[in-house]
Coordinates of all heavy atoms in Angstrom, one line a residue:
V1 N 115.1 113.7 101.8 CA 116.0 112.6 101.3 C 115.2 111.5 100.6 O 114.2 111.1 101.1 CB 116.8 112.0 102.4 CG1 117.8 111.0 101.9 CG2 117.5 113.1 103.2
V2 N 115.6 111.2 99.4 CA 115.0 110.1 98.6 C 116.0 108.9 98.7 O 117.2 109.1 98.2 CB 114.8 110.5 97.1 CG1 114.1 109.3 96.4 CG2 113.9 111.7 97.1
L3 N 115.6 107.8 99.2 CA 116.4 106.7 99.5 C 116.0 105.5 98.6 O 114.8 105.2 98.5 CB 116.3 106.2 100.9 CG 116.6 107.3 102.0 CD1 115.5 107.2 103.1 CD2 117.9 107.1 102.6
S4 N 117.0 104.9 97.8 CA 116.7 103.9 96.9 C 116.8 102.5 97.5 O 117.8 102.1 97.9 CB 117.6 104.0 95.7 OG 117.5 105.2 95.0
L5 N 115.6 101.9 97.6 CA 115.6 100.5 98.2 C 114.4 99.8 97.5 O 113.3 100.3 97.6 CB 115.4 100.5 99.7 CG 115.4 99.1 100.4 CD1 116.6 98.3 100.2 CD2 115.1 99.3 101.9
D6 N 114.6 98.7 96.8 CA 113.6 98.2 95.9 C 112.6 97.3 96.6 O 111.6 96.9 96.0 CB 114.2 97.4 94.8 CG 114.7 98.3 93.7 OD1 114.5 99.6 93.8 OD2 115.4 97.9 92.7
G7 N 112.8 96.9 97.9 CA 111.9 96.1 98.6 C 112.6 94.9 99.2 O 113.6 95.0 99.8
R8 N 112.0 93.7 98.9 CA 112.6 92.4 99.5 C 114.1 92.2 99.0 O 114.4 92.7 98.0 CB 111.8 91.2 99.0 CG 110.3 91.3 99.6 CD 109.4 90.3 98.8 NE 109.2 90.8 97.4 CZ 108.5 90.2 96.5 NH1 107.9 89.0 96.8 NH2 108.3 90.7 95.3
K9 N 114.8 91.5 99.8 CA 116.2 91.3 99.5 C 116.4 90.7 98.1 O 117.3 91.2 97.3 CB 116.9 90.4 100.5 CG 118.3 90.0 100.2 CD 118.9 89.1 101.3 CE 120.3 88.6 100.9 NZ 121.3 89.6 100.6
E10 N 115.6 89.7 97.7 CA 115.8 89.1 96.4 C 115.5 90.1 95.3 O 116.1 90.1 94.2 CB 115.0 87.8 96.3 CG 113.5 88.0 96.4 CD 113.0 87.8 97.8 OE1 113.8 88.1 98.8 OE2 111.8 87.5 98.0
T11 N 114.5 90.9 95.5 CA 114.1 92.0 94.5 C 115.2 93.0 94.4 O 115.7 93.3 93.3 CB 112.8 92.7 94.9 OG1 111.7 91.7 95.0 CG2 112.5 93.8 93.9
H12 N 115.7 93.5 95.5 CA 116.7 94.6 95.4 C 118.0 94.0 94.8 O 118.6 94.7 94.0 CB 117.0 95.1 96.9 CG 117.9 96.2 97.0 ND1 117.5 97.5 96.9 CD2 119.3 96.2 97.1 CE1 118.6 98.3 97.0 NE2 119.7 97.5 97.1
D13 N 118.4 92.9 95.3 CA 119.7 92.3 94.9 C 119.7 91.9 93.4 O 120.8 91.7 92.8 CB 120.2 91.2 95.8 CG 120.7 91.7 97.1 OD1 120.9 92.9 97.2 OD2 120.9 90.8 98.0
R14 N 118.6 91.7 92.8 CA 118.5 91.2 91.4 C 119.0 92.4 90.5 O 119.6 92.1 89.5 CB 117.1 90.9 91.1 CG 116.9 90.3 89.6 CD 115.4 90.0 89.4 NE 114.9 89.0 90.2 CZ 113.9 89.1 91.1 NH1 113.4 90.3 91.3 NH2 113.5 88.1 91.8
M15 N 118.7 93.6 90.9 CA 119.0 94.7 90.0 C 120.0 95.7 90.5 O 120.8 96.3 89.7 CB 117.7 95.5 89.6 CG 116.6 94.7 89.0 SD 117.0 93.9 87.5 CE 117.2 95.3 86.4
R16 N 120.1 95.9 91.8 CA 120.9 96.9 92.4 C 122.2 96.3 93.0 O 122.3 95.9 94.1 CB 120.2 97.7 93.5 CG 118.9 98.4 92.9 CD 118.2 99.3 93.9 NE 119.1 100.4 94.2 CZ 119.2 101.5 93.5 NH1 118.5 101.7 92.4 NH2 120.0 102.5 93.9
V17 N 123.2 96.2 92.1 CA 124.4 95.4 92.4 C 125.6 96.3 92.4 O 125.6 97.4 91.8 CB 124.6 94.3 91.4 CG1 123.5 93.3 91.4 CG2 124.8 94.9 90.0
A18 N 126.6 95.9 93.2 CA 127.9 96.6 93.2 C 128.7 96.3 91.9 O 128.3 95.4 91.2 CB 128.7 96.1 94.4
P19 N 129.8 97.0 91.7 CA 130.6 96.8 90.5 C 131.0 95.3 90.3 O 131.2 94.9 89.2 CB 131.8 97.7 90.7 CG 131.2 98.9 91.5 CD 130.3 98.2 92.4
G20 N 131.2 94.6 91.4 CA 131.6 93.2 91.3 C 130.5 92.2 91.0 O 130.7 91.0 90.8
G21 N 129.2 92.8 91.0 CA 128.1 91.9 90.7 C 127.3 91.4 91.9 O 126.2 90.9 91.8
C22 N 127.8 91.7 93.1 CA 127.0 91.2 94.3 C 125.9 92.2 94.7 O 126.0 93.4 94.4 CB 128.0 91.0 95.5 SG 128.8 92.5 96.1
G23 N 124.9 91.7 95.3 CA 123.7 92.6 95.7 C 124.1 93.5 96.8 O 125.1 93.3 97.5
S24 N 123.3 94.6 96.9 CA 123.7 95.7 97.9 C 122.7 95.7 99.1 O 122.8 96.6 99.9 CB 123.7 97.0 97.2 OG 122.5 97.3 96.5
Y25 N 121.7 94.8 99.1 CA 120.7 95.0 100.1 C 121.2 94.9 101.5 O 120.9 95.7 102.4 CB 119.6 93.8 100.0 CG 118.5 93.8 101.0 CD1 117.3 94.5 100.8 CD2 118.7 93.2 102.3 CE1 116.3 94.6 101.7 CE2 117.6 93.3 103.2 CZ 116.5 93.9 102.9 OH 115.5 94.0 103.8
D26 N 122.2 94.0 101.8 CA 122.7 93.9 103.2 C 123.5 95.1 103.7 O 123.6 95.3 104.9 CB 123.6 92.6 103.3 CG 122.8 91.3 103.2 OD1 121.6 91.4 103.4 OD2 123.4 90.3 102.8
V27 N 123.9 95.9 102.7 CA 124.6 97.2 103.1 C 123.5 98.3 103.2 O 123.5 99.1 104.2 CB 125.6 97.6 102.1 CG1 126.2 99.0 102.3 CG2 126.8 96.6 102.0
V28 N 122.6 98.4 102.2 CA 121.7 99.5 102.1 C 120.6 99.4 103.1 O 120.3 100.4 103.8 CB 121.1 99.5 100.7 CG1 120.0 100.5 100.6 CG2 122.2 99.9 99.7
A29 N 120.0 98.3 103.3 CA 118.8 98.2 104.1 C 119.0 98.6 105.6 O 118.2 99.4 106.1 CB 118.2 96.8 104.1
P30 N 120.1 98.2 106.2 CA 120.3 98.7 107.6 C 120.5 100.2 107.7 O 120.1 100.9 108.6 CB 121.6 98.0 108.0 CG 121.7 96.8 107.2 CD 121.1 97.2 105.9
H31 N 121.2 100.8 106.6 CA 121.3 102.3 106.6 C 120.0 103.0 106.5 O 119.7 104.0 107.1 CB 122.2 102.7 105.4 CG 123.7 102.3 105.6 ND1 124.6 102.5 104.6 CD2 124.3 101.7 106.6 CE1 125.8 102.1 105.0 NE2 125.6 101.6 106.3
V32 N 119.1 102.4 105.6 CA 117.8 103.0 105.4 C 117.0 102.9 106.7 O 116.3 103.9 107.1 CB 117.1 102.4 104.2 CG1 115.6 102.8 104.2 CG2 117.8 102.7 102.9
R33 N 117.0 101.7 107.3 CA 116.2 101.5 108.5 C 116.6 102.5 109.6 O 115.8 103.1 110.3 CB 116.3 100.1 109.0 CG 115.7 99.1 108.1 CD 115.8 97.7 108.6 NE 115.0 97.5 109.8 CZ 114.6 96.3 110.3 NH1 115.1 95.2 109.7 NH2 113.9 96.2 111.4
R34 N 117.9 102.6 109.8 CA 118.4 103.5 110.9 C 118.1 104.9 110.6 O 117.7 105.7 111.5 CB 119.9 103.3 111.0 CG 120.5 104.0 112.2 CD 121.9 103.6 112.5 NE 122.9 103.7 111.4 CZ 123.4 102.7 110.7 NH1 123.0 101.4 111.0 NH2 124.2 102.9 109.7

């Protein structure tokens, strides 16, 4: 499995956004960690 996570929250949320424009770190990072 290749999991996309760019690093620090500010880094990830700058580029990896939901359709509405908000960052996705708070959703993605817990899934990746688990």
Side-chain angles (χ1 to χ4, degrees):
V1 182
V2 181
L3 306 137
S4 296
L5 181 60
D6 283 353
R8 296 163 292 179
K9 176 177 168 60
E10 60 271 26
T11 297
H12 184 91
D13 283 349
R14 183 182 296 114
M15 303 300 290
R16 300 188 66 82
V17 299
C22 63
S24 59
Y25 180 92
D26 290 338
V27 173
V28 169
H31 290 177
V32 170
R33 293 182 70 165
R34 187 165 59 249

